[in-house]
Amino acid sequence: MKKAFAAAALTVGGVVGAGFASGREAVIFFGGANVLSAAVFAALFFASACFFMTRGGGDLPSLSREVFGKMSFLPLAALNVNYFVCLAAMSAGCSAVCGKAAGLLPVSACAAAVYLGVGGVKKLSYLTVPLVIACLAAVVLPVGEVSAADVKIVGPMCYAAYNAVLTAGVLLPAGGALTKKQACLAAGLAAAVLFLLTLAVSAAAGQSGQNMPLASVAAAKGLYGVYSAALLLGMTSAMASAAFPLSAAAEKITRDRLVAVAAVFVAAYCVGTLGFGKVMDTALPVVSAVSLAALTGFFAVSAYKKIKAR
């Protein structure tokens, strides 16, 4: 059970970054709180997390070669762009909350965890995720108006795919230490938590045009400090999930883990100087659509190969 909870924390930790904790992604993909839209997101994310964690270990390059063969470079390129956009957005978010100098502190903590490997990323998520959930709950509860009408399907599916491939880089190796039952339990716990958080955050964010919609909600309740803590902890955890597979890919080029981690974080920091809102609004819709295509490819080709092997 402890392994399942740790894996669930790792999974949630890859999702609750700056976009989620700020409410910005809720505005982009949901446009308000809707039970069915949140359920679509949670269901696809659960299926995706199960798919990656029940593979028995490995990494993204191995899985891509197994599923796509000689064409594996295409989904790998799409996933690495996904990771880089997320990392740049988280870096920009840290600078927006703390200022450029102080914003380097959570980025440095994340880089240290990534340098330590998947174990470091797991420990970071295990420490930060409960605090993120508690801080976010304090800001967004009680839940505002939730609707059953105006259901959105494509947006929540793209959002689920974006987060599924974002966390895949850490879920694949982490799944090697889990039984299939533990992996499915972890995916179910993570999906349930994210379903509830998505509803609450979407209700609070509404259709705000602000870069960080929950900031004004927190300020009105006198909880801006709590909100800032949730944002920073969430960004640190999500950065680690995105940076881990990206650094592993860079290490194959540099042949040195320290150089690879440093190069990835410096490049993301430079792109992040464009600003949190610009990175999120410009790149995220495109990246999420590409993620949905890549995830569909993983599911479809894997299912076809299983059927063909019978």
Side-chain angles (χ1 to χ4, degrees):
M1 183 65 76
K2 184 179 178 180
K3 286 185 177 181
F5 275 110
L10 180 67
T11 308
V12 174
V15 178
V16 290
F20 188 97
S22 67
R24 189 65 190 152
E25 289 175 349
V27 174
I28 293 173
F29 292 102
F30 294 90
N34 183 282
V35 175
L36 293 178
S37 296
V40 169
F41 159 67
L44 181 55
F45 186 80
F46 167 73
S48 304
C50 282
F51 175 79
F52 290 119
M53 280 197 286
T54 56
R55 307 295 295 185
D59 55 24
L60 275 173
S62 299
L63 176 61
S64 295
R65 285 192 295 269
E66 176 190 332
V67 175
F68 295 103
K70 293 180 179 179
M71 300 300 291
S72 62
F73 69 92
L74 288 175
L76 276 178
L79 297 185
N80 283 331
V81 170
N82 182 326
Y83 299 140
F84 188 78
V85 167
C86 174
L87 193 56
M90 299 304 105
S91 178
C94 287
S95 296
V97 174
C98 302
K100 289 186 177 180
L104 291 174
L105 292 175
V107 174
S108 299
C110 173
V114 172
Y115 179 76
L116 293 174
V118 70
V121 178
K122 286 172 71 174
K123 288 177 182 177
L124 181 66
S125 296
Y126 203 57
L127 289 172
T128 57
V129 167
L131 295 173
V132 174
I133 293 173
C135 291
L136 272 180
V139 172
V140 300
L141 294 180
V143 178
E145 183 179 351
V146 177
S147 172
D150 192 23
V151 181
K152 291 181 175 59
I153 302 295
V154 176
M157 287 180 67
C158 286
Y159 190 50
Y162 166 70
N163 283 296
V165 299
L166 181 61
T167 55
V170 291
L171 295 187
L172 277 166
L178 303 173
T179 64
K180 286 194 175 183
K181 183 177 179 180
Q182 288 172 331
C184 291
L185 176 59
L189 288 171
V193 169
L194 290 172
F195 169 76
L196 296 173
L197 280 178
T198 297
L199 271 182
V201 170
S202 297
Q207 298 182 8
S208 171
Q210 298 175 333
N211 282 340
M212 295 187 174
L214 293 188
S216 57
V217 176
K221 292 183 177 182
L223 295 173
Y224 189 80
V226 174
Y227 164 75
S228 297
L231 200 57
L232 285 173
L233 290 167
M235 284 189 289
T236 305
S237 181
M239 270 194 292
S241 292
F244 177 76
L246 205 54
S247 298
E251 188 177 351
K252 292 181 179 180
I253 299 172
T254 64
R255 303 296 181 184
D256 185 290
R257 177 177 291 186
L258 181 60
V259 173
V261 172
V264 164
F265 276 90
V266 169
Y269 180 80
C270 291
V271 173
T273 58
L274 293 172
F276 177 71
K278 185 169 289 187
V279 173
M280 293 291 290
D281 292 347
T282 303
L284 194 56
V286 176
V287 169
S288 63
V290 173
S291 297
L292 182 58
L295 188 64
T296 302
F298 275 117
F299 283 164
V301 176
S302 295
Y304 172 76
K305 287 189 173 182
K306 281 186 177 180
I307 293 172
K308 190 177 179 180
R310 289 177 182 175

